[in-house]
Amino acid sequence: MHTLLPLNYAYDALEPHIDARTMELHHTKHHQAYIDKLNAALEKYPEGAALSIEELLRNLKVAPEEVRTAVRNHGGGHANHSFFWTIIGPASTSGTPSVALVAALNSSFGSMEKFWEAWQSKALGLFGSGWVWLVKGGDGLSIITTANQDSSISEGKTPILALDVWEHAYYLSYQNRRADYVTAFKNVIQWDEVSRRFDLSMNSR
Ligand code: MN3
């Protein structure tokens, strides 16, 4: 059984960048619903119930066809949100990216400014609901998007940074102003955690 873990900060801790009501609904309603529907799907896939969420998403093809879409959507929703909660937090603890991560971003994108331009462009260009990711793959660092709740893990990538661009993540405060939400997101990134994820991705390949 997958369960909803508490956040390690209060729902209002990200204000004014992300409002408390959005955080509470997003965590207790949206994320919880993905978990409930994943658990329901796994009742019909006991071998999958024994796997970690990462193993499930890395091996979607082995899931029986009757539950594969549910595992992809709701397992992805669970994994994506679990990851997201760890890389955002209070602006007061945002910090800065590690020297190694900055060097890698400069190498891959030309400069931090160009990295953020590319990030913004991907976030605004994503039609409908989905996620923007900084990932490590066989070809190094890249920014990718996934539709719906598809996980970058299912594409064989290791996520380092992620942004939920479903409207439920920002609509109460930002309505149609996705660009303002993307800008606000930068204030609440927890760079120590993102830098740790980057280090792990470098050591795993
Ligand atoms: Mn969401």
Side-chain angles (χ1 to χ4, degrees), residues 26-27 30-31 34 77 80-81 84-85 130-131 149 164-170 181:
H26 201 173
H27 184 244
H30 293 279
H31 189 175
Y34 295 122
N80 295 349
H81 288 88
F84 188 53
W85 305 137
W131 290 76
Q149 292 296 350
D164 186 344
V165 289
W166 283 57
E167 282 190 344
H168 69 223
Y170 64 88
Y181 164 66

Side-chain angles (χ1 to χ4, degrees), residues 23-78:
M23 288 298 297
E24 184 171 9
L25 288 170
H26 201 173
H27 184 244
T28 64
K29 303 297 182 192
H30 293 279
H31 189 175
Q32 182 70 60
Y34 295 122
I35 291 171
D36 293 344
K37 290 174 181 169
L38 172 63
N39 285 332
L42 290 175
E43 283 176 17
K44 295 177 217 152
Y45 178 29
E47 300 89 341
L51 300 175
S52 72
I53 188 66
E54 289 82 10
E55 289 169 324
L56 266 177
L57 293 171
R58 213 173 283 128
N59 300 288
L60 279 177
K61 287 196 181 86
V62 305
E65 199 171 351
E66 62 162 333
V67 298
R68 194 178 305 147
T69 300
V71 170
R72 175 178 173 176
N73 289 343
H74 305 299
H78 176 36

Side-chain angles (χ1 to χ4, degrees), residues 9 11 18 20 49 58 94 103 122 125 135 138 142 162 168-169 172 175 200 202 204:
Y9 42 82
Y11 291 127
I18 303 179
R58 213 173 283 128
S94 173
K122 288 279 190 187
V135 294
S142 58
H168 69 223
L172 294 182
Q175 293 86 46
L200 285 174
M202 297 306 287
S204 68

